[in-house]
C-alpha cells in the first residue's frame, strides 16, 4: 500500500474513477427493460434486470462521493498539489516506473500478443526469460537493455499478428511465428551471457545459469503436465508442442 | 441421518482415504505443497488452492477434496516458517507469529517455536473440524427456512461486514470494493430474464465472468507485480535445530488454545474475514488475558500458540457458512467454492440432500490433513526451510506461468486470460490505494445470488418490501446491516461518544 500520508490525495482520484463507473452503470441500467416488455413478457420494476445494477450504481456513486469528500477534507487536494510540484523537474520515467513496465511487458505480451500466435512452450520460455532477466540480475543497465530487446520483438510480433500477416506466414510454414519468438529468446539469451561475461562478475554468471535453467526447464515440466497428463490443449500448439507430442506418442 | 450413522459415515470416509494409497499420497503431497506455498513469501493459501484447482479437474471428488483441503491446511500453517526463520510472514495469517517467533529464533529457539506452531496449528484445525461437524448441519437446517429475502440480505451482510473488517483504510473503501465485485457479477445474461448486461456485445461475456480466473487474477497477479517491482531480498535464515512438538508447553497453555480456537472458528464463520484477522484478534486477546503481557513481542510462547491455533481453527470456521449457505468465510474458502462448483458440488442448505455425507467427507479430510500437517511439519521442517532460500525473482515468474495456464485450463477460453490480467492490474491498483480485496471477491461470488434472490423475493411479494421487516431473520439481518453501516458513520460515532461521556459524568 502507498504511504498513508499520500492516501487522501489518491482517494480523490480513485473516488472519482469509482464515481464515473457508478454513473456508467446507472446509464447502462436505465437502458435495460424496467417495466416494459422484454422477450414477450411484461416485466415490473421489481423483476427488472436493471434493479440490482441500479442499486450498485447508486451505492457506488454515494460511496465515491464520501471517499472524495473525506479526501478533500483531510488535505487530499494539498497532497496532490505537493506531489505535482515534487514531480516537476524530475524525469517522467523513474526506476520505479521502469520496474513496473518491466513486470507488465512480459505479462501483457504472453496473454494479449503471443497467446494465439506463438507456441505456448516458447511463449512461456519468453515470459520466464524476459522476467527473470529483468529482475533476478538486479542490474538497472541490463534491465533497460533487456526491456529494449523485448519491446522491439513484441512490437514486431504484435504488428504481424494484428495486421493478419502472421496467418499468411503460417500458411507458408506452420511454425514461422515461432521462429520470431525463438529469435527473441536467442537474442535475449546471448545478450545476457555477453553482459555477464563482460561484467566479469562470478555472481552474474551463476545467476545467468539459474535464469536459463528456470526459463527452459520449468515450461518443459508445466506444458507436458497440462498437455499430456491433464489432457488440456494448449492455447497455441506450434513447432515445440508438436515436437513434444511426437516424442510422447512415439514413446507411449 | 442419526448420530450413529453419521459416526459410521465419518469413519468410513476416514478409513476410505487411509486405505487408499493414492489418496494418502495426494494428502501428504498436497499438505507439503501447501506448507511450501505458505512458507514462501508472496505465495498465499488462496493462490495455492487456486492453482491446484486446475490440476484436480480430472480427479474423483474425494481425491480432489483431499488435495484442495490439504493445501489449504498446509498453507495456513506454512506461513509460520518464514515468520519464524526470516521475520517475513509467509502469509498474512502468520504476521502475528513473526512478532514472537522471530525473537525466539534469534535466541536459538527456532526449532522450539516451529514445534509450538506445528502442534498449535494441528490442534486448531481439529477443533475447527469439530465445529464443522456440529454446526454445519444445524445451520443448513436453519437455512432451509430462509427465503429469497434472507439470502439477499446474507449476501449483502457478507459484503458489508467483510468491507468493514478487512479494510486497511476507511471503511467506505471496503464497501465500494464490494460493490465493484457485485458489478462484475452482473456481467453476462441475468438469471431470470436472460437479458445481456454489461457484455459490450462480446459473446464470450454472455455466460458471465468465470469466478476462478477472476480469483487467480485478483490474488496472483498483484503478488507477482508487488514482489517483482519492489526489490525483495530474502534475509538470511536463522539456524534450525531439531523441531520438537513441546506437548508439555501445549498442555500448560490449554486455556489459550481453547480461547484461540473459539476466536478462530468464530471469525472464520463470518463471511469474507480471513485467517489473518483471526490470528491478530486471538493474539490481542491472549496478550490482554496473559499473566505475562510484558513477554509479548520478545518471544512469547503464548503469543505464538494464540496466533497459530486461531488461524488454523479459522479454516473450519470458514467452512461452516460455505457448506451450509454457500457463503465463503475466508478468501481461500472463496476459492474452494469455485473448486466445489467445478466438481459439481453446489454448497448451500440443499447440499446434504443432494450430496449426503459431503460435510462428513470434508470433516474427515480436515482431520487427516491436520495429522498429515503435523507429521510433515515435524519431519520435513529442515527441507522447507531450505526452500526459503529460493529467490522470489525466480519463483514469481513461474507462478505467473502457472496462473496463466491454470486460468486457461478452466474452460479452455482465452477470454478467461483476457479478464484475469486486467483484473490483476485493477486489484493491484486498488490494493496500493488501500482498497481491500476480500469484499471484492465476496461481491463477485455472491453477486449472482444477491441479484436473483432479491428479484425472486420481490416477485413473490409482488414488489412489497414488507418481508424485509416482517420476517424475523430478515429483520435481524436488516438491523445488523444498518448497525454496521451506522457504526461506521461520523454522526453515529459522535453520538456514541456523547452518550459515553454522559454515562461517565453520571
Amino acid at each position: 500500500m502507498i504511504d498513508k500520508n499520500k492516501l487522501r490525495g489518491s482517494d480523490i482520484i480513485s473516488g472519482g474513477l469509482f464515481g464515473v463507473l457508478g454513473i456508467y452503470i446507472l446509464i447502462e441500467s436505465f437502458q435495460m427493460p424496467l417495466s416494459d416488455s422484454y422477450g414477450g413478457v411484461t416485466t415490473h420494476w421489481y423483476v427488472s434486470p436493471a434493479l440490482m445494477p441500479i442499486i450498485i450504481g447508486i451505492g457506488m456513486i454515494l460511496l465515491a462521493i464520501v471517499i472524495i469528500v473525506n479526501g478533500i477534507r483531510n488535505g487530499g487536494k494539498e497532497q496532490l498539489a505537493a506531489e505535482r510540484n515534487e514531480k516537476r523537474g524530475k524525469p517522467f520515467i523513474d526506476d520505479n516506473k521502469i520496474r513496473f513496465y518491466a513486470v507488465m511487458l512480459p505479462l501483457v505480451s504472453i496473454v494479449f500478443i503471443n497467446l494465439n500466435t506463438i507456441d505456448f512452450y516458447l511463449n512461456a520460455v519468453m515470459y520466464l526469460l524476459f522476467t527473470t532477466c529483468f529482475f533476478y540480475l538486479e542490474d538497472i543497465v541490463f534491465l533497460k537493455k533487456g526491456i529494449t530487446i523485448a519491446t522491439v520483438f513484441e512490437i514486431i510480433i504484435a504488428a504481424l499478428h494484428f495486421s493478419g500477416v502472421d496467418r499468411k506466414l503460417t500458411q507458408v510454414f506452420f511454425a514461422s511465428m515461432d521462429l520470431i519468438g525463438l529469435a527473441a529468446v536467442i537474442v535475449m539469451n546471448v545478450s545476457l551471457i555477453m553482459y555477464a561475461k563482460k561484467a566479469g562478475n562470478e555472481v552474474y554468471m551463476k545467476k545467468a545459469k539459474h535464469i536459463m535453467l528456470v526459463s527452459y526447464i520449468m515450461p518443459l515440466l508445466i506444458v507436458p503436465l497440462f498437455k499430456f497428463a491433464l489432457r488440456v490443449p494448449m492455447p497455441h500448439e506450434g513447432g515445440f508442442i508438436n515436437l513434444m507430442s511426437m516424442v510422447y506418442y512415439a514413446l507411449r | 441421518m442419526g448420530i450413529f450413522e453419521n459416526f459410521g459415515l465419518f469413519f468410513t470416509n476416514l478409513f476410505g482415504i487411509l486405505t487408499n494409497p493414492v489418496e494418502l499420497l495426494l494428502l501428504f503431497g498436497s499438505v507439503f505443497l501447501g506448507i511450501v506455498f505458505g512458507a514462501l513469501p508472496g505465495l498465499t493459501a488462496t493462490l495455492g488452492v487456486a492453482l491446484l484447482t486446475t490440476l484436480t479437474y480430472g480427479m474423483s471428488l474425494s481425491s480432489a477434496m483431499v488435495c484442495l483441503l490439504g493445501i489449504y491446511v498446509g498453507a495456513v500453517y506454512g506461513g509460520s516458517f518464514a515468520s519464524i526463520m526470516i521475520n517475513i510472514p509467509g502469509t498474512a495469517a502468520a504476521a502475528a507469529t513473526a512478532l514472537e517467533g522471530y525473537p525466539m529464533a534469534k535466541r536459538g529457539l527456532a526449532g522450539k517455536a516451529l514445534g509450538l506452531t506445528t502442534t498449535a496449528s494441528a490442534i486448531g484445525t481439529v477443533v475447527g473440524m469439530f465445529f464443522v461437524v456440529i454446526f454445519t448441519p444445524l445451520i443448513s437446517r436453519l437455512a432451509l427456512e430462509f427465503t429469497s429475502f434472507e439470502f439477499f440480505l446474507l449476501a449483502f451482510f457478507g459484503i458489508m461486514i467483510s468491507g468493514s473488517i478487512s479494510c486497511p483504510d476507511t471503511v467506505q473503501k471496503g464497501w465500494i470494493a464490494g460493490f465493484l465485485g457485485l458489478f462484475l457479477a452482473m456481467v453476462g445474461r441475468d438469471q431470470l430474464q436472460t437479458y445481456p448486461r454489461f457484455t459490450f456485445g462480446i459473446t464470450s461475456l454472455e455466460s458471465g465472468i468465470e469466478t476462478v480466473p477472476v480469483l487467480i487474477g485478483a490474488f496472483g497477479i498483484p503478488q507477482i507485480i508487488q514482489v517483482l517491482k519492489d526489490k525483495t531480498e530474502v534475509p538470511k535464515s536463522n539456524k534450525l535445530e531439531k523441531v520438537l512438538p513441546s506437548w508439555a508447553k501445549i498442555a500448560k497453555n490449554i486455556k489459550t488454545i481453547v480461547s484461540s480456537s473459539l476466536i478462530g472458528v468464530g471469525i472464520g464463520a463470518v463471511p469474507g474475514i480471513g485467517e489473518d484477522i483471526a490470528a491478530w484478534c486471538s493474539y490481542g486477546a491472549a496478550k490482554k488475558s496473559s499473566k505475562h503481557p510484558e513477554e509479548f513481542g520478545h518471544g512469547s510462547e503464548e503469543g505464538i500458540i494464540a496466533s497459530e491455533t486461531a488461524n488454523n481453527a479459522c479454516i473450519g470456521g470458514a467452512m461452516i457458512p460455505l457448506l451450509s449457505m454457500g457463503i465463503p468465510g475466508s478468501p481461500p474458502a472463496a476459492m474452494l467454492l469455485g473448486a466445489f462448483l467445478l466438481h459439481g458440488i453446489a454448497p448451500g442448505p440443499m447440499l446434504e440432500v443432494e450430496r449426503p455425507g459431503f460435510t462428513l467427507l470434508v470433516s474427515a479430510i480436515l482431520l487427516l490433513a491436520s495429522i498429515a500437517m503435523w507429521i510433515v511439519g515435524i519431519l520435513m521442517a529442515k527441507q522447507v526451510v531450505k526452500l526459503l532460500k529460493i529467490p522470489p525473482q525466480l519463483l514469481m515468474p513461474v507462478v505467473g506461468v502457472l496462473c496463466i495456464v491454470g486460468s486457461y485450463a478452466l474452460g479452455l477460453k482465452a477470454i478467461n486470460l483476457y479478464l484475469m490480467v486486467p483484473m490483476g492490474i485493477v486489484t493491484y491498483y486498488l490494493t496500493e490505494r488501500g482498497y481491500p480485496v476480500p469484499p471484492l471477491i465476496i461481491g463477485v461470488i455472491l453477486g449472482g445470488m444477491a441479484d436473483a434472490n432479491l428479484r425472486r423475493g420481490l416477485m413473490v411479494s409482488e414488489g412489497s418490501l414488507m418481508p424485509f421487516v416482517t420476517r424475523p431473520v430478515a429483520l435481524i439481518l436488516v438491523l445488523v446491516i444498518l448497525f454496521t453501516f451506522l457504526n461506521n458513520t461520523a454522526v453515529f460515532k459522535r453520538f456514541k461518544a456523547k452518550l459515553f461521556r454522559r454515562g461517565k459524568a453520571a
Side-chain angles (χ1 to χ4, degrees), chain B residues 201-215:
Chain B
I202 301 168
T203 328
S204 318
L205 282 180
E206 289 198 356
S207 53
I209 290 177
E210 277 193 45
T211 321
V212 178
V214 166
L215 293 189

Side-chain angles (χ1 to χ4, degrees), chain A residues 1-4 7-8 10-11 13-15 17-19 21 24-26 28-29 31-33 38 41-53 55-57 59-61 63-64 66-67 70 95-96 99-100 103-104 107-108 110-112 115-116 120 124 127-128 131-132 135-136 138 207 210-211 214 218-219 222 225-226 230 232-236, chain B residues 51 54-58 152 156 168-170 172-173 175-177 179-180 182-183 186 189-190 192-198 200 221 224-232 391 393-394 396-398 400-402 404-406 408-409 412 414 417-422 425 428-435 447 450-451 454-456 458-459 462-465 485:
Chain A
M1 202 168 79
I2 58 174
D3 190 0
K4 277 217 168 181
L7 267 183
R8 298 292 80 89
S10 83
D11 282 358
I13 299 168
S14 59
L17 290 173
F18 271 114
L21 179 64
Y24 161 76
I25 294 170
L26 277 187
E28 277 283 309
S29 305
Q31 285 165 8
M32 294 174 191
Y38 174 69
V41 182
T42 310
T43 70
H44 298 279
W45 67 268
Y46 48 84
V47 272
S48 164
L51 181 63
M52 196 67 185
I55 296 172
I56 295 168
M60 217 177 245
I61 291 168
L63 287 167
V66 175
I67 291 169
N70 185 42
D95 278 5
N96 209 24
R99 288 182 77 86
F100 182 73
V103 183
M104 296 316 297
L107 188 63
V108 170
I110 189 176
V111 172
F112 292 100
L115 193 75
N116 296 315
F120 191 74
Y127 172 77
L128 288 172
T131 316
T132 47
F135 296 103
Y136 186 49
E138 279 301 352
K207 282 189 172 182
H210 291 168
I211 287 172
V214 167
M218 288 317 287
I222 295 169
L225 172 72
F226 277 87
L230 297 170
V232 174
M234 292 292 106
H236 186 82
Chain B
L51 293 178
T54 55
L55 297 176
T56 63
Y57 196 53
F152 164 72
F156 216 75
D169 195 24
T170 55
Q172 290 81 13
K173 287 185 171 179
W175 295 339
I176 211 166
F179 274 99
L180 180 64
L182 281 176
F183 164 66
M186 295 301 113
R189 287 190 177 270
D190 86 278
L192 296 188
Q193 294 185 359
T194 66
Y195 182 84
R197 296 184 293 195
F198 311 107
F200 309 101
I221 305 294
I224 295 169
I225 301 174
Q226 186 93 54
V227 172
L228 293 178
K229 196 176 127 286
D230 305 336
K231 289 180 186 170
T232 322
Q393 295 88 341
L394 281 182
M396 293 318 274
V398 177
V401 174
L402 286 171
I404 289 163
V405 76
Y408 178 77
L412 306 178
L417 294 179
Y418 299 152
L419 289 171
M420 184 198 80
V421 175
I425 297 168
Y428 171 74
Y429 175 86
L430 292 177
T431 324
E432 282 286 283
R433 275 143 194 87
Y435 292 87
D451 175 42
L454 173 67
R455 288 156 66 197
R456 211 173 282 141
L458 288 172
M459 207 157 36
E462 293 185 332
S464 166
L465 299 173
F485 174 73

Side-chain angles (χ1 to χ4, degrees), chain A residues 55-169:
Chain A
I55 296 172
I56 295 168
I58 292 171
M60 217 177 245
I61 291 168
L62 291 176
L63 287 167
I65 291 169
V66 175
I67 291 169
I68 294 169
V69 170
N70 185 42
I72 294 170
R73 272 190 187 167
N74 293 296
K77 262 167 98 178
E78 293 75 21
Q79 276 172 25
L80 284 178
E83 269 176 50
R84 227 175 295 139
N85 287 337
E86 214 177 281
K87 277 179 190 166
R88 219 170 272 162
K90 280 188 181 172
F92 178 69
I93 299 171
D94 55 12
D95 278 5
N96 209 24
K97 279 186 185 140
I98 291 174
R99 288 182 77 86
F100 182 73
Y101 176 72
V103 183
M104 296 316 297
L105 173 69
L107 188 63
V108 170
S109 301
I110 189 176
V111 172
F112 292 100
I113 302 172
N114 305 348
L115 193 75
N116 296 315
T117 325
I118 289 172
D119 178 273
F120 191 74
Y121 169 77
L122 194 60
N123 197 2
V125 170
M126 282 169 78
Y127 172 77
L128 288 172
L129 187 66
F130 291 175
T131 316
T132 47
C133 275
F134 294 164
F135 296 103
Y136 186 49
L137 220 53
E138 279 301 352
D139 186 312
I140 189 76
V141 179
F142 189 74
L143 174 66
K144 286 177 183 169
K145 201 176 172 183
I147 287 177
T148 315
I149 296 169
T151 309
V152 168
F153 273 100
E154 287 306 334
I155 288 173
I156 294 170
I157 297 167
L160 292 173
H161 178 55
F162 294 114
S163 63
V165 177
D166 64 332
R167 265 157 277 161
K168 284 177 188 152
L169 284 174

Side-chain angles (χ1 to χ4, degrees), chain B residues 185-380:
Chain B
M186 295 301 113
V187 176
R189 287 190 177 270
D190 86 278
Q191 287 178 30
L192 296 188
Q193 294 185 359
T194 66
Y195 182 84
R197 296 184 293 195
F198 311 107
T199 56
F200 309 101
I202 301 168
T203 328
S204 318
L205 282 180
E206 289 198 356
S207 53
I209 290 177
E210 277 193 45
T211 321
V212 178
V214 166
L215 293 189
I216 293 178
F219 287 105
I221 305 294
Q223 289 287 346
I224 295 169
I225 301 174
Q226 186 93 54
V227 172
L228 293 178
K229 196 176 127 286
D230 305 336
K231 289 180 186 170
T232 322
E233 275 176 34
V234 183
K236 220 178 158 198
S237 174
N238 280 302
K239 210 180 159 207
L240 177 67
E241 69 281 19
K242 207 175 171 194
V243 178
L244 302 162
S246 325
W247 290 109
K249 289 275 174 211
I250 293 291
K252 205 179 140 196
N253 288 292
I254 195 75
K255 206 181 116 199
T256 310
I257 287 178
V258 172
S259 60
S260 304
S261 301
L262 293 177
I263 290 172
V265 172
I267 288 177
V270 179
I273 314 296
E275 287 78 13
D276 46 343
I277 291 163
W280 279 116
C281 287
S282 169
Y283 179 80
K287 195 176 175 181
K288 259 187 191 167
S289 63
S290 173
K291 283 177 190 162
H292 305 285
E294 72 285 353
E295 285 179 8
F296 278 70
H298 305 286
S300 157
E301 289 168 354
E302 211 178 337
I304 289 188
I305 291 172
S307 129
E308 283 301 308
T309 311
N311 65 24
N312 270 69
C314 186
I315 298 172
M319 298 303 292
I320 298 170
L322 175 65
L323 293 170
S324 58
M325 292 183 287
I327 296 171
S330 67
M335 200 55 245
L336 266 181
L337 174 61
F340 283 174
L341 296 172
L342 271 178
H343 285 278
I345 302 283
M350 294 301 286
L351 179 67
E352 277 306 304
V353 180
E354 289 164 2
R355 295 267 183 174
F358 184 73
T359 307
L360 291 171
L361 173 70
V362 168
S363 312
I365 295 171
L366 278 179
L367 179 64
L368 289 174
S370 62
I371 296 168
M373 183 204 82
W374 191 84
I375 295 169
V376 174
I378 294 290
L379 298 180
M380 298 188 78

Side-chain angles (χ1 to χ4, degrees), chain A residues 190-233:
Chain A
V190 170
S191 308
L192 172 71
I193 294 166
M194 278 172 65
Y195 188 82
K197 272 193 177 165
K198 209 174 158 185
N201 191 331
E202 283 264 319
V203 181
Y204 276 20
M205 281 308 287
K206 208 174 153 189
K207 282 189 172 182
K209 275 181 200 161
H210 291 168
I211 287 172
M212 286 188 275
L213 210 69
V214 167
S215 305
Y216 300 121
I217 303 296
M218 288 317 287
L220 212 54
L221 298 173
I222 295 169
V223 171
L225 172 72
F226 277 87
K227 167 86 182 142
F228 304 115
L230 297 170
R231 309 260 169 216
V232 174

